[in-house]
Amino acid sequence: MQSELTKYAEQVQALGERPEYRSVYAGVETDISGNRLLVHSRESSTFAAAVRAVVPEQRLWLREVPLSADQLATGVTDISGDIADWKGRGIEIRSVGAQPGLGCVEIGVAQPDRDRETLVAHYQATVPVCVILGSVLIPAAS
């Protein structure tokens, strides 16, 4: 079953990368325990129909989200470019990544309780952010 879901996920990903769907497609996840795909997208009946044409209804959960993968990627790039600036202000950003299912760019920081309000206020006009406790990256031994 997992290989079947993987095949469907690859087909959905390919659809989402087509020019006509890039503005709506946000991402796809496999729910192994539920034996289904979670397809995240902005509202689009044409994209939903295209997905339903390749994934059986019993294996599909379409979930509407506010941002496309392209919009999330732009947010990740913008926030990543601000890491040094935030460090100079005393905020340690440890990770930045897209969370299509949550409709936000996830920012991992050293002190989320202290820094959440500042980061949300700064980015809210351009992209929703979710602020979490970020792990310290440990470099691989050489």
Side-chain angles (χ1 to χ4, degrees), residues 92-95 106-113 115-116 130-136:
E92 179 188 351
I93 294 179
R94 295 178 170 177
S95 63
E106 186 176 85
I107 305 173
V109 295
Q111 297 182 45
D113 292 339
D115 301 333
R116 180 176 289 110
C130 304
V131 180
I132 63 162
L133 175 63
S135 300
V136 175

Side-chain angles (χ1 to χ4, degrees), residues 6 23 46 58 66 92 95 102 123 136:
T6 300
S23 66
T46 56
Q58 71 271 22
E92 179 188 351
S95 63
L102 298 175
Y123 291 110
V136 175

Side-chain angles (χ1 to χ4, degrees), residues 60-112:
L60 180 61
W61 182 37
L62 292 171
R63 183 154 184 269
E64 191 174 318
V65 294
L67 300 174
S68 70
D70 283 351
Q71 290 170 306
L72 288 170
T74 298
V76 168
T77 299
D78 292 347
I79 294 167
S80 295
D82 294 344
I83 290 175
D85 183 51
W86 285 115
K87 187 172 185 173
R89 296 188 213 181
I91 295 178
E92 179 188 351
I93 294 179
R94 295 178 170 177
S95 63
V96 181
Q99 290 295 330
L102 298 175
C104 67
V105 173
E106 186 176 85
I107 305 173
V109 295
Q111 297 182 45

